Amino acid sequence: MEKIPLTNDTLVQVSVGSDVTVLTQTRVNVTCEVSGVPKSTITWLKDGKRMESEESSYLVLNIRNVEDAGQVTCHARNLAGNASQSTNINVIGKKT
């Protein structure tokens, strides 16, 4: 597991498939690079629940407290099939 020293209100970028540990008050940008023909549709999940993203290739999470920790999954699908990859986000801080 990769540990990154951070200060509050930091933006951390991570590629899906890598685990990350952050402090509370951090924004995490998870990117998902997908290729395929025809073009794939990307769906984001956090702990199994669908998440909305302005851009399908990345998801930005605002980590405010330790309860925001969890698993983020990028699921890509096209006519040829589908694939998924996940990132575990661990959060260090006081419980609210």
Side-chain angles (χ1 to χ4, degrees), residues 1-32:
M1 180 177 358
E2 181 179 345
K3 291 187 179 182
I4 302 171
L6 302 173
T7 58
N8 288 352
D9 292 323
T10 299
L11 174 64
V12 174
Q13 296 185 337
V14 62
S15 295
V16 71
S18 301
D19 293 345
V20 65
T21 299
V22 298
L23 296 174
T24 56
Q25 307 303 315
T26 300
R27 290 182 305 140
V28 177
N29 182 350
V30 184
T31 59
C32 183

Side-chain angles (χ1 to χ4, degrees), residues 12-18 28-34 40-61 70-77 83-89:
V12 174
Q13 296 185 337
V14 62
S15 295
V16 71
S18 301
V28 177
N29 182 350
V30 184
T31 59
C32 183
E33 292 187 34
V34 176
S40 298
T41 300
I42 295 176
T43 303
W44 288 97
L45 305 170
K46 180 167 184 289
D47 296 329
K49 296 179 183 176
R50 188 179 175 130
M51 300 286 294
E52 295 299 321
S53 176
E54 291 180 23
E55 290 289 328
S56 63
S57 62
Y58 65 88
L59 177 68
V60 177
L61 299 168
Q71 184 179 66
V72 176
T73 302
C74 171
H75 180 78
R77 169 197 256 185
S84 296
Q85 199 164 26
S86 298
T87 290
N88 291 307
I89 300 173

